[in-house]
Amino acid sequence: MGTTARGRRGRGGSAAGASDGRVGGGLSSLQPWQTLTMAVLLLFLVLVLAMPLRTYAEQRAELAETRENIARMEERTRELQAEKERFSDPEYIKEQARIRLGLVEEGETPFRIVDPALGTADGEDPVGEETLPTAPWYEQLWDSVSLPPEEEKPANPARDEATSPDRLPTVPEPAPEPAP
């Protein structure tokens, strides 16, 4: 019977087993130098792995961008090949010459229809003739030198009004401090 009782007690001879506090307490049971060593090792691992992971992520993003550029360029190449094939067709070339340049074939009579309403607006002269000056040339020359140029109307009067100095927001000045 001594053997079985001894086997239950374990090596140390105590009935509760090893009770020196090191077995199951987690991080709180570690010595301070052990905790510090683990923290330093963890920081070292983070620093060692951070740069390669960052580089890996950057390279993956660059690879995705490069693949996107390649796909876009291949699509552009296909478009240019199709355009090249279209321009190798003589009928397409004739059609483009008619549309873009207004060319006609021999024996055809060209017609150009002009809508008179398109050229006039608010009673303007459709021809757009300038009025001739009535003063002699030397007076015109003297006036061009002696008189200041006329101010042009602003392209956007609302913007000029909104940005005039009296309309700009100002920072209020601080109130003066009362004298003691």
Side-chain angles (χ1 to χ4, degrees):
M1 192 156 142
T3 320
T4 57
R6 188 171 173 223
R8 283 190 205 146
R9 284 185 285 178
R11 275 192 159 165
S14 108
S19 64
D20 57 4
R22 286 189 179 186
V23 174
L27 287 178
S28 62
S29 66
L30 294 176
Q31 297 293 326
W33 64 272
Q34 290 173 328
T35 307
L36 182 63
T37 304
M38 287 180 64
V40 168
L41 283 174
L42 183 63
L43 179 65
F44 177 74
L45 284 174
V46 167
L47 292 176
V48 166
L49 294 177
M51 287 303 290
L53 288 176
R54 179 177 172 209
T55 305
Y56 175 75
E58 288 174 354
Q59 288 176 348
R60 295 295 292 181
E62 189 175 319
L63 180 64
E65 183 179 336
T66 303
R67 286 182 178 160
E68 182 180 309
N69 285 340
I70 289 171
R72 191 170 47 246
M73 288 180 186
E74 286 175 348
E75 177 64 29
R76 177 71 176 145
T77 303
R78 284 191 292 274
E79 290 172 2
L80 291 174
Q81 286 292 340
E83 186 175 346
K84 180 183 171 187
E85 290 173 7
R86 280 194 311 264
F87 276 103
S88 65
D89 182 23
E91 292 300 317
Y92 183 75
I93 293 173
K94 285 181 183 178
E95 178 186 344
Q96 290 302 311
R98 287 174 179 268
I99 293 171
R100 294 182 185 182
L101 304 175
L103 297 180
V104 293
E105 289 188 12
E106 194 173 320
E108 292 182 344
T109 306
F111 290 99
R112 186 164 303 236
I113 300 172
V114 180
D115 187 6
L118 292 177
T120 61
D122 298 331
E124 291 180 6
D125 187 17
V127 179
E129 295 180 12
E130 290 186 23
T131 58
L132 296 176
T134 57
W137 67 270
Y138 51 86
E139 287 182 12
Q140 293 175 22
L141 178 63
W142 181 251
D143 288 344
S144 69
V145 175
S146 64
L147 297 176
E150 295 178 11
E151 290 188 25
E152 295 181 17
K153 293 181 182 177
N156 189 354
R159 180 172 184 236
D160 291 341
E161 182 182 334
T163 58
S164 66
D166 59 328
R167 303 281 250 142
L168 293 176
T170 57
V171 177
E173 295 183 19
E177 294 182 18

